[in-house]
Amino acid sequence: QDHLMQSGGGSVQAGGSLRLSCAAPEFVYKLDRFGWFHQAPGKGREGVASFSPTGGPTYYDDSVKGRFTVSQDNAKNTVYLQMNSLKPEDSGIYYCATGGYGLHVKEYTLWGQGTQVTVSS
């Protein structure tokens, strides 16, 4: 495996929860930080969260603080984005990525394929 493989997503009602997964090659998982990004319909990608499985600071965009949480499974080289209290404006495609540090799209060089999240009101 030499790329990021995403899974999860789907459709939920407002207030519901979803968990997204992102599996990485081992050498990527151990060296890089991960970012999660959200692309709403008709808009560009925006940073949601950034963290490293090996330690260091975790960043969340203000729009998701207290609702979204990043986590990891070192045995599976997989990172997760737990999304709670979902709102319709959270709908869109979510991407995981590596190679960057903060929440800026341009910093990241390796991207997952994206997964669709739809939140109905």
Side-chain angles (χ1 to χ4, degrees):
Q1 178 190 352
D2 59 356
H3 52 281
L4 303 179
M5 288 289 295
Q6 293 185 233
S7 60
S11 298
V12 295
Q13 291 189 328
S17 298
L18 287 171
R19 189 178 78 161
L20 309 182
S21 301
C22 176
E26 183 175 2
F27 73 96
V28 170
Y29 185 85
K30 292 183 176 180
L31 293 178
D32 279 352
R33 288 182 63 88
F34 285 82
W36 285 99
F37 296 85
H38 171 224
Q39 185 167 14
K43 296 187 178 181
R45 296 180 193 183
E46 297 181 344
V48 172
S50 170
F51 86 114
S52 171
T54 59
T58 298
Y59 302 112
Y60 293 99
D61 185 76
D62 287 345
S63 64
V64 305
K65 283 181 181 177
R67 300 190 299 123
F68 290 12
T69 306
V70 295
S71 63
Q72 65 200 64
D73 185 333
N74 294 336
K76 297 180 179 180
N77 296 333
T78 298
V79 298
Y80 303 96
L81 181 67
Q82 178 67 42
M83 305 185 294
N84 298 329
S85 301
L86 283 162
K87 306 175 181 179
E89 53 264 42
D90 294 323
S91 296
I93 301 174
Y94 284 77
Y95 297 89
C96 67
T98 64
Y101 185 83
L103 299 179
H104 302 292
V105 172
K106 292 183 177 180
E107 295 179 355
Y108 290 79
T109 56
L110 181 63
W111 291 82
Q113 80 274 21
T115 185
Q116 178 71 44
V117 170
T118 303
V119 185
S120 59
S121 58

